């Protein structure tokens, strides 16, 4: 077993009685003393530091005339300390960066620093991803596309990401709708009916159907209502949902107005859940792991609404459309993005470069990593789309910004005439002027009667009393339909079963599985394998030691990324391959904290002729300031717009692997070892990089089948919905994978890998974590 025991942040302790702690952690939580005794206290400080207090004892910090104002290690004397947390006070916190407490009188911390850090001063590596301010109110610009092929490649990925985000990749089984259309209220020129059907077994979609008198078939329009106070029953000056449906029916189209989650008859989910409340943060994260959230429920309900329209004998299934305002506009362009059956659409007051949606039901995880609503809206191209905007909300610049950007995509198809914008002088709305713009557009593109409807105005209408067209006035679904908790469990079970059925049973099934799973995993992580030309390596310093040399570098594949790394080379400089080592506590954990120099695993690998690279990923090691708190900027809906910490760390591992290819002769093996929390990062990174020959994953006691463990640890929204570690293991195919310290929770992942690789499960996993020599021998 390893001689070092570390936490990812805070004090680090080795087995010989040496404790390392960043000053920020010492100030906030004290220094944890594992065993009482007499310690030499070293302080990494400048001459501006006079004293520190440790466990109630004030210690004077010696001056260093040769420091030149920089941080140097100073011996503050000996102190007898009891086991437990020793409180720390630092009168001048900007002048003290780190502590080293040791029972080894011969230890000089400066001798060990070069194998823990790239920089000899307490600076960070310059990674700025934690400071990225990207959220729903960010000002976005349309991604530039050189040509139609570039756009369509991007568009295919964006469509897939929406489905992955919602647990819909691949699409679930289209189970029987069991639709009920009843309670007709007949008028001379249209009929209103009550409707409910099952999007999934037991999951109700509720609403009203407005249809012309006659047999049809008529075009069909689905109408998500948005965040009106009264939902589908809203009837006011700023918007009338039933009013537009009545008018559509009078024009000769069938309109289905259906409830958003938690509104009116949609009573299986509480309205608060649909708005991002009603449950704990822990429960929200568990559901998100499975791609379960209001956006997902509403998107699948919209897809099934199209299915429902196709079953109606009086609806022309080849002429389906969608329109809604505000949150209903979001549902409109989201459905447009993933379902080509929508032939014409009108998202009203929603496609904006300055506001992407103000509710959780508009902000699914991962969907806007590389896009905003302009790119999403453009997914309609070349199908006709009307963009209605208003002077009094976030679409006020549509005429000059969003519309030209989307029109440019339409022009790539020679279809510039199929997208239009009408700008209304009004606050946020779907008022009469906005509705009339949509009637005219639909009259042209759905009914094929552009001249007839060119100047169409909305005739007077009378809305039915709510009690006449509501399905469940008592706010209760029919007897026998499941409640919220049961529904959530059922949806998760269905998603799990769907992915288990996709797992390859042998090597012959691997390619088909990989084609589905690999891009989905990359979508969730927002990961890519950067080309070598994109990975910049900046050398900070080098040193030669007995038997080896070490190069201290900072890697980056983009302007925000910075990965401090150490590259060890055997003295003979005849490398037989490269081993990339990732540790949850950072590269310092792999050094010899007692004597300085590389730790035993690095030495064992160099003895085999390997070049060895260790690194600090996002917010680990030198990406944390030892002086001040390091944390991510708070943004709105961060999971929608930015990768999680875990996702960034997986990307950094992949960037390190690309750099590793430069460190050895062409064709030499590249291997990856992930220890501690980095076991999971390495599992996913290795799964996505076919250039890695062998990956060793430290299971680290992680309960891979436990939702709470994922939510509280290596959190990746949607990852459980695509099979998490099991899928990652299966993606290794014939490449080598070894899981060390594995428990029974890893058995499914082991079986999946064994099935595609042909290896015996007993050769894939070990119950114990090998020591350094055995780990090196495993490569």
């Amino acid at each position: 077993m390893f001689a070092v025991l570390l936490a990812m942040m805070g004090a680090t302790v080795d087995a010989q009685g040496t404790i390392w702690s960043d000053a920020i952690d010492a100030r906030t939580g004290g220094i944890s003393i594992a065993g009482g005794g007499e310690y030499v206290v070293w302080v990494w400080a400048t001459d501006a530091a006079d004293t520190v207090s440790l466990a109630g004892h004030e210690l004077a910090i010696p001056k260093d005339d040769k420091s030149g104002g920089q941080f140097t290690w100073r011996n503050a004397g000996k102190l007898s300390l009891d086991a437990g947390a020793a409180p720390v006070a630092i009168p001048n916190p900007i002048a003290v960066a780190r502590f080293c407490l040791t029972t080894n009188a011969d230890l000089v911390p400066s001798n060990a620093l070069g194998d823990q850090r790239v920089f000899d001063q307490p600076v960070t590596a310059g990674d700025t991803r934690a400071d990225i301010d990207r959220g729903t109110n960010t000002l976005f610009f349309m991604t530039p596309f050189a040509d139609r092929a570039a756009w369509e490649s991007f568009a295919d990925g964006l469509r897939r990401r929406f489905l992955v985000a919602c647990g819909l990749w691949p699409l679930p089984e289209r189970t029987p709708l069991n639709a009920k259309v009843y309670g007709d209220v007949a008028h001379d020129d249209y009929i209103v009916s009550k409707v409910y059907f099952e999007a999934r077994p037991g999951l109700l979609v509720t609403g009203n159907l407005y249809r012309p008198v006659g047999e049809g078939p008529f075009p069909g329009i689905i109408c998500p209502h948005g965040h009106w106070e009264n939902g589908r029953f809203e009837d006011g000056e700023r918007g009338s949902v039933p009013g537009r449906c009545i008018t559509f029916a009078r024009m000769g189209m069938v309109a289905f107005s259906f409830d958003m989650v938690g509104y009116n008859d949609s009573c299986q989910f509480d309205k608060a859940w649909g708005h991002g409340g009603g449950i704990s943060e822990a429960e929200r994260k568990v559901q998100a792991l499975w791609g379960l959230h209001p956006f997902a429920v509403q998107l699948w309900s919209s897809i099934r609404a199209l299915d429902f329209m196709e079953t109606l004998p009086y609806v022309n299934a080849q002429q389906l459309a969608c329109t809604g305002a505000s949150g209903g506009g979001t549902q409109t362009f989201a459905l447009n993005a993933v379902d080509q059956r929508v032939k014409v659409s009108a998202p009203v007051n929603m496609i904006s470069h300055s506001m992407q949606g103000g509710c959780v039901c508009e902000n699914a995880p991962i969907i806007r990593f590389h896009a905003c609503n302009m790119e999403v809206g453009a997914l309609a191209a070349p199908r006709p789309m009307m963009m209605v905007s208003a002077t009094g909300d976030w679409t006020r610049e549509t005429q000059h910004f969003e519309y030209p950007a989307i029109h440019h995509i339409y022009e790539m198809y020679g279809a510039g005439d199929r997208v239009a914008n009408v700008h209304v002088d009004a606050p946020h709305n779907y008022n009469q002027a906005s509705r009339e713009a949509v009637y005219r557009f639909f009259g042209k593109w759905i009914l094929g009667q552009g001249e007839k409807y060119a100047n169409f105005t909305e005739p007077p209408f009378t809305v039915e009393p709510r009690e006449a067209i509501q399905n469940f006035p008592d706010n209760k679904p029919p007897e026998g339909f499941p409640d919220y908790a049961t529904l959530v469990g059922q949806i998760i079970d269905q998603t799990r079963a769907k992915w288990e059925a996709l797992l390859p049973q042998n090597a012959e099934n691997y390619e088909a599985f990989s084609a589905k799973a690999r891009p989905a995993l990359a979508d969730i992580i927002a990961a890519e394998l950067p080309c070598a030309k994109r990975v910049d390596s900046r050398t900070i310093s080098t040193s030669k030691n007995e038997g080896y040399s070490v190069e201290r570098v900072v890697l980056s594949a983009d302007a925000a990324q910075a990965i401090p790394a150490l590259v060890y080379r055997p003295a003979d400089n005849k490398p037989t391959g490269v081993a990339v080592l990732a540790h949850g506590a950072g590269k310092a954990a792999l050094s010899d904290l007692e004597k300085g120099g590389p730790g035993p695993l690095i030495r064992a690998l160099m003895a085999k002729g390997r070049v060895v690279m260790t690194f600090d990923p996002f917010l680990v090691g030198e990406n944390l300031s030892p002086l001040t708190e390091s944390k991510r900027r708070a943004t709105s809906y961060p999971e929608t717009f930015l990768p999680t910490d875990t996702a960034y760390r997986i990307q950094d591992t992949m960037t390190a692997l690309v750099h590793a290819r430069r460190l050895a002769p062409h064709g030499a093996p590249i291997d990856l070892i992930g220890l501690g929390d980095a076991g999971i990062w390495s599992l996913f990174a290795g799964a996505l990089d076919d250039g890695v020959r062998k990956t060793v994953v430290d299971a680290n006691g992680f309960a891979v089948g436990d939702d709470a463990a994922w939510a509280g640890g290596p959190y990746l929204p949607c990852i459980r919905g695509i099979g998490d570690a099991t899928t990652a293991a299966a993606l290794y195919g014939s490449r080598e994978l070894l899981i060390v310290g594995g428990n029974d929770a890893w058995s499914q992942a082991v079986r999946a890998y064994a099935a595609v690789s042909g290896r015996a499960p007993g050769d894939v996993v070990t119950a114990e974590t090998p020591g350094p020599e055995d780990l090196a021998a495993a490569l």
Side-chain angles (χ1 to χ4, degrees), residues 183-185 192 194 208 464-471:
D184 293 356
V185 179
V192 187
K194 303 176 186 179
N208 295 113
E464 305 299 331
R466 180 170 178 158
E467 57 272 16
I469 57 174
Q470 187 165 3
N471 285 283

Side-chain angles (χ1 to χ4, degrees), residues 211-220 252-254 312-317 319:
R211 67 184 190 270
V213 173
E215 295 184 0
F218 307 104
M253 296 175 281
V254 177
L312 300 174
Y314 41 81
V315 170
N316 183 344
Q319 288 185 293

Side-chain angles (χ1 to χ4, degrees), residues 265-280:
D265 293 321
S266 177
C267 47
Q268 292 169 296
F269 289 91
D270 190 271
K271 189 174 182 179
W273 185 84
H275 288 179
I279 58 175
S280 68

Side-chain angles (χ1 to χ4, degrees), residues 181-536:
V181 181
Y182 68 107
D184 293 356
V185 179
H187 297 271
D188 292 341
D189 50 357
Y190 69 95
I191 300 167
V192 187
S193 305
K194 303 176 186 179
V195 173
Y196 63 83
F197 60 82
E198 296 176 53
R200 295 176 183 264
L203 173 59
L204 290 170
V205 177
T206 51
N208 295 113
L209 196 68
Y210 297 75
R211 67 184 190 270
V213 173
E215 295 184 0
F218 307 104
I221 306 171
I222 68 169
C223 297
H225 54 72
H227 294 102
W228 300 107
E229 179 66 26
N230 296 305
R232 78 177 198 267
F233 300 122
E234 184 72 22
D235 179 38
E237 183 178 349
R238 288 178 54 212
S240 176
V241 179
R244 78 169 183 261
C245 292
I246 290 169
T247 305
F248 283 144
R250 286 171 165 174
M251 291 173 67
M253 296 175 281
V254 177
F256 175 51
S257 172
F258 59 106
D259 290 319
M260 285 170 57
V261 173
Y263 279 79
N264 302 315
D265 293 321
S266 177
C267 47
Q268 292 169 296
F269 289 91
D270 190 271
K271 189 174 182 179
W273 185 84
H275 288 179
I279 58 175
S280 68
E281 175 64 4
E283 188 176 358
R284 182 201 67 79
K285 291 177 77 172
V286 164
Q287 292 177 7
L289 288 167
W290 293 94
L292 175 56
H293 39 75
F295 188 103
V297 174
Q298 290 177 177
L299 182 57
W300 183 239
S301 295
S302 296
I303 292 171
R304 297 312 312 268
L306 294 178
D307 293 345
F308 164 67
M309 295 292 268
E310 288 182 327
T311 68
L312 300 174
Y314 41 81
V315 170
N316 183 344
Q318 302 306 310
Q319 288 185 293
L320 299 177
C322 183
T323 183
S326 190
T330 299
Q331 290 183 60
T332 297
F333 61 66
L335 179 64
N336 231 345
V338 302
D339 201 318
Q340 295 291 316
R341 291 178 296 173
V342 178
K343 303 303 184 194
V344 184
S345 63
V348 175
N349 287 191
M350 200 59 238
I351 297 180
S352 169
H353 79 290
S354 59
M355 206 286 284
Q356 307 307 301
C359 178
V360 69
C361 74
E362 302 173 88
N363 287 283
I366 81 173
I367 61 173
R368 297 191 184 95
F369 280 174
H370 306 296
C372 72
N373 287 350
M374 289 187 288
E375 289 92 346
V376 180
L379 293 174
R383 294 166 289 160
M385 180 173 70
M386 162 61 74
M387 300 168 61
V388 180
S389 53
T391 58
D393 69 6
W394 45 86
T395 60
R396 56 187 171 272
E397 296 184 63
T398 294
Q399 291 176 297
H400 310 292
F401 205 102
E402 294 88 351
Y403 171 69
I406 293 175
H407 184 262
H408 175 66
I409 301 298
Y410 272 77
E411 286 185 321
M412 291 180 177
Y413 293 87
D417 61 327
R418 294 189 177 192
V419 61
N421 168 235
V422 169
H423 201 56
V424 176
D425 186 11
H428 195 56
N429 75 92
Y430 203 160
N431 63 15
Q432 183 173 343
S434 296
R435 295 195 298 273
E436 288 175 348
V438 174
Y439 300 148
R440 295 164 187 167
F441 192 80
F442 281 16
K444 176 180 179 179
W445 290 104
I446 299 179
L447 297 176
Q449 302 176 46
E451 289 188 14
K452 175 180 178 180
Y453 287 100
N455 298 301
F456 179 79
T457 57
E458 183 180 78
F461 56 81
T462 301
V463 173
E464 305 299 331
R466 180 170 178 158
E467 57 272 16
I469 57 174
Q470 187 165 3
N471 285 283
F472 315 131
D474 59 356
N475 202 38
K476 294 179 180 178
E479 187 175 351
F481 282 89
D483 60 11
Y484 158 80
T486 303
L487 268 178
V488 167
Q490 288 179 354
I491 293 171
I492 289 174
D493 288 344
Q494 291 159 10
T495 303
R496 179 189 291 110
K498 177 183 69 174
W499 267 90
E500 287 180 347
L502 286 175
L503 289 171
Q505 302 304 307
N506 49 52
E508 287 70 31
N509 305 141
Y510 173 78
E511 292 299 334
F513 172 75
S514 179
K516 283 288 185 184
R518 187 180 297 270
L521 180 58
D523 286 339
I524 289 171
I525 299 169
E528 63 172 348
L529 199 66
C531 67
K533 291 182 179 179
R534 276 186 51 203
V535 179
D536 177 67

